[in-house]
């Protein structure tokens, strides 16, 4: 589909032939025991796994799905997040569905304005498991989003088609180390060394590291020893359909700290 056809699809408001919703999982900041963000994760209307929805997305509907998913996530966050919270919303997006960054972000900005959700609290995650058709185009998307005031994150770092090359090209605000890289690092010296090396590289580039898929207390302690403070995973909370999971000892970021 060409750039023009994508823009026409946006103007025409083409509807998808399936419905979906979002589940939310907290991202925690160990440094101050706060819920740093909630990630919005695609689910079926009754909580069906993400793949049951994503498998229905075609090249022809990719653009519209991406747009609708963003708006759904923002609208649900507006309804669920505490009114005095500055906690962020993390949204996954499909770079191959973005034709012109500043045009394709309009619906998201309009949704945020409509519900009075500060757009600077939104982080867009792009995954390296999606093979990018045009690296320069994706680099332009990341630059445009950061200029608009959004945070950007490279998801599933260490899996998929690339790793360090994408980090070198895009320099996002965050990288999310893939759970398969983290699994068992507390008892695997090689994995521990790899994660430590990634953290050192990220610090040199002024990129924040987030560990996703944390499942055990031992993994958590290993991550703490490496210096990672942003974490996410079943050890803390599973995604909750159209609701915010609570984590004992962690509170949403207060609005007064939103600078």
């Amino acid at each position: 589909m060409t750039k023009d056809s994508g823009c026409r699809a946006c103007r025409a408001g083409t509807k998808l032939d399936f419905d979906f919703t979002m589940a939310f999982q907290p991202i925690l900041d160990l440094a101050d025991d706060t819920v740093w963000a909630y990630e919005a994760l695609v689910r079926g209307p009754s909580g069906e796994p993400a793949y049951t929805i994503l498998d229905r997305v075609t090249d022809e509907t990719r653009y519209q799905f991406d747009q609708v998913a963003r708006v759904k996530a923002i609208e649900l966050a507006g309804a669920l997040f505490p009114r005095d919270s500055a906690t962020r919303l993390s949204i996954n997006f499909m770079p191959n569905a973005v034709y012109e960054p500043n045009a394709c972000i309009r619906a998201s900005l309009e949704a945020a304005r409509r519900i009075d959700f500060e757009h600077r609290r939104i982080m867009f995650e792009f995954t390296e498991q999606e093979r990018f058709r045009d690296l320069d185009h994706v680099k332009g998307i990341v630059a445009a989003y950061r200029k608009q005031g959004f945070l950007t994150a490279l998801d599933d770092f260490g899996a998929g088609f690339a790793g360090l090359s994408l980090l070198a090209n895009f320099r996002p605000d965050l990288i999310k180390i893939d759970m398969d890289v983290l699994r068992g690092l507390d008892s695997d010296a090689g994995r521990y060394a790899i994660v430590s090396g990634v953290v050192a590289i990220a610090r040199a580039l002024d990129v924040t590291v987030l560990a996703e898929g944390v499942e055990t207390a031992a993994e958590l302690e290993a991550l703490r020893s490496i210096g990672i403070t942003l974490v996410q995973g079943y050890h803390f909370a599973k995604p909750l359909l159209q609701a915010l999971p609570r984590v004992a000892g962690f509170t949403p970021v207060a609005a007064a700290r939103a600078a």
Side-chain angles (χ1 to χ4, degrees), residues 38-73:
Y38 288 97
E39 181 178 0
L41 299 161
V42 170
R43 294 291 186 270
S46 299
E48 298 88 345
Y51 74 83
T52 65
I53 300 301
L54 298 176
D55 283 352
R56 300 183 67 176
V57 179
T58 65
D59 286 343
E60 289 70 30
T61 60
R62 190 182 311 277
Y63 175 86
Q64 191 62 26
F65 172 77
D66 185 67
Q67 291 287 301
V68 172
R70 297 171 186 228
V71 172
K72 278 184 181 287

Side-chain angles (χ1 to χ4, degrees), residues 74-129:
I74 293 168
E75 290 179 342
L76 280 169
L80 295 171
F81 283 29
R83 298 306 300 174
D84 61 348
S85 170
T87 298
R88 298 162 181 82
L89 168 66
S90 185
I91 301 174
N92 293 278
F93 81 101
M94 298 177 168
N96 291 336
V98 177
Y99 298 89
E100 204 292 312
N102 292 313
C104 292
I105 199 62
R106 288 174 187 164
S108 301
L109 288 170
E110 289 171 3
R113 280 194 291 266
R114 186 169 63 251
I115 63 173
D116 193 27
F117 192 95
E118 172 55 51
H119 78 276
R120 294 179 184 276
R121 292 168 58 193
I122 297 174
M123 178 170 77
F124 284 110
E125 298 185 24
F126 59 103
T127 177
E128 65 173 67
Q129 296 203 42

Side-chain angles (χ1 to χ4, degrees), residues 21 51 53 60-61 72 81 100 105 138 145 147 154 163 179 185 188 200 218 220 225 233 243 255:
T21 187
Y51 74 83
I53 300 301
E60 289 70 30
T61 60
K72 278 184 181 287
F81 283 29
E100 204 292 312
I105 199 62
V138 179
Y145 283 7
K147 187 174 181 180
L154 175 57
M179 65 178 70
L185 87 161
D188 187 324
L220 177 60
S225 71

Side-chain angles (χ1 to χ4, degrees), residues 225-248:
S225 71
I226 293 172
I228 293 177
T229 59
L230 290 184
V231 292
Q232 178 181 6
Y234 282 13
H235 179 67
F236 309 101
K238 293 183 179 181
L240 198 58
L241 191 68
Q242 297 185 153
L244 303 180
R246 303 300 180 187
V247 183

Side-chain angles (χ1 to χ4, degrees), residues 1 4-16 63-64 67-68:
M1 189 157 56
D4 288 343
S5 67
C7 294
R8 284 198 300 271
C10 182
R11 290 194 296 269
T14 304
K15 292 185 178 180
L16 301 171
Y63 175 86
Q64 191 62 26
Q67 291 287 301
V68 172

